[in-house]
Amino acid sequence: MTFWQKVKRELGRETQPVDTVVRLIILERAIRGTLVAILGGALLTNSSGVVGLVRGWVAELDVNPERRLIPRLMVTVLRPIGGFSSRTVLLIGIGAVLFGALELTEAIGLARRRRWAEYLTVIAGCIGIPFELTEVLRRQTPVRHLFGLRGGVATETERS
């Protein structure tokens, strides 16, 4: 038996019966995959309309004098999105559809108890680790600030 035949046999076999944790993972992947795919489809079909809608929300929340914490937070989050070009929204939509398809593939494979789905879930989960490490090493976070890394609160008060 060749190496590739062994790999094919291993990836195609069924795994042990699904337990509660795997059922929760299947449910989470299915829900998230469906929602992200729907969002991506909406962005693909009307990318310029989405940007216009977000810009309208930002303008409405910005002008409203009765702003409280939540609207202020929404303006802070939505303002950069309103600045995206239609092309950027289109690319985000493509990425969302692809990510949703990946999540749904994982959910279906895990529900069918396929070994390849377990490997796919682990690989997909590990893909973001280098990006997360880069962000942690490059940027200051509230946790770093609070616990004294790169100077901490004491350093900030000394500089003032």
Side-chain angles (χ1 to χ4, degrees), residues 1-19:
M1 183 177 291
T2 67
F3 171 76
W4 293 112
Q5 288 173 334
K6 289 179 186 177
V7 168
K8 185 177 178 182
R9 189 180 73 198
E10 170 67 17
L11 293 178
R13 72 182 180 92
E14 284 188 4
T15 61
Q16 56 189 322
V18 177
D19 63 353

Side-chain angles (χ1 to χ4, degrees), residues 56-68 71-72 75:
W57 289 344
V58 169
E60 178 66 30
L61 290 171
D62 231 357
V63 171
N64 187 356
E66 298 274 327
R67 291 188 311 186
R68 290 188 174 78
R72 220 175 296 148
V75 168

Side-chain angles (χ1 to χ4, degrees), residues 28-133:
E28 181 263 337
R29 302 293 168 155
I31 291 171
R32 185 170 53 179
T34 303
L35 292 176
V36 169
I38 290 170
L39 173 68
L43 291 175
L44 287 176
T45 57
N46 192 9
S47 59
S48 60
V50 169
V51 172
L53 180 67
V54 170
R55 286 181 183 149
W57 289 344
V58 169
E60 178 66 30
L61 290 171
D62 231 357
V63 171
N64 187 356
E66 298 274 327
R67 291 188 311 186
R68 290 188 174 78
L69 177 63
I70 297 299
R72 220 175 296 148
L73 180 65
M74 287 177 65
V75 168
T76 305
V77 170
L78 292 175
R79 184 172 281 130
I81 296 171
F84 288 166
S85 68
S86 295
R87 183 173 184 270
T88 302
V89 174
L90 186 67
L91 292 174
I92 291 171
I94 292 170
V97 167
L98 293 175
F99 182 72
L102 173 68
E103 294 283 307
L104 288 170
T105 302
E106 289 176 34
I108 291 167
L110 288 172
R112 294 185 65 214
R113 296 178 27 205
R114 297 293 178 213
R115 175 71 68 187
W116 60 263
E118 292 178 358
Y119 288 119
L120 180 63
T121 302
V122 170
I123 291 168
C126 292
I127 286 174
I129 291 175
F131 301 109
E132 293 295 331
L133 285 175

